[in-house]
Amino acid sequence: MNNDIQGRPANIAAIRERAEAEMRAMGVDEAFIGRLVETFYGRVLTHPDLGPVFDARLSGRWPEHMEKMKSFWSAVAFRSGAYGGKPVQAHTGVQNLTSDLFPKWLTLFAATLDDVAPSPEAKDWFMTTAERIAKSLTLSLFYNPALDDPAKKAG
């Protein structure tokens, strides 16, 4: 049997153990993730630009969304592999979702971290991760490679 295949579960377990230790050292646990998600999305709902977009999409399904976001952030932080959602597909076709909403989302996320993060390291880690996610979603949802075509820019 291939040694790479045999070693994979041990490697995955080691990655998860390192992630758990890293998060613990920053003061991150499931209670913090729950508080972060609840606080952030409570603020999203009252935001004049973000609230209407989120509420139109999630009306009647907020509890399920909150659990999904807690699962997502937990899986990302602890490298558990437990989240199996498809973020790009989930955001495709959301009415009134525009690329200029992502910086607003990030600003609100940063303000929430300022209020609830257990340490500066946790704030930095979650903010860096959120920025990476926002960039990935923005590129996936709104990027048009044809706009980067030098022949089209030379006009």
Side-chain angles (χ1 to χ4, degrees), residues 90-107:
H91 291 86
T92 300
V94 172
Q95 193 168 24
N96 298 318
L97 179 64
T98 59
S99 61
D100 67 316
L101 291 177
F102 284 91
K104 294 174 185 184
W105 183 93
L106 285 169
T107 298

Side-chain angles (χ1 to χ4, degrees), residues 34-86:
R35 191 167 50 257
L36 172 63
V37 169
E38 295 283 341
T39 303
F40 174 67
Y41 282 101
R43 293 174 179 184
V44 163
L45 272 172
T46 63
H47 190 279
D49 299 321
L50 297 171
V53 174
F54 275 82
D55 202 37
R57 179 68 168 197
L58 298 169
S59 182
R61 297 183 305 119
W62 274 102
E64 293 88 356
H65 182 70
M66 299 299 282
E67 290 309 310
K68 185 180 283 191
M69 291 300 92
K70 289 174 188 176
S71 174
F72 169 78
W73 279 107
S74 177
V76 170
F78 297 109
R79 310 281 200 290
S80 69
Y83 180 79
K86 297 177 180 173

Side-chain angles (χ1 to χ4, degrees), residues 128-145:
T128 298
T129 303
E131 289 166 345
R132 190 170 44 249
I133 291 165
K135 182 176 183 176
S136 176
L137 281 172
T138 301
L139 289 171
S140 296
L141 296 169
F142 301 106
Y143 176 66
N144 181 349

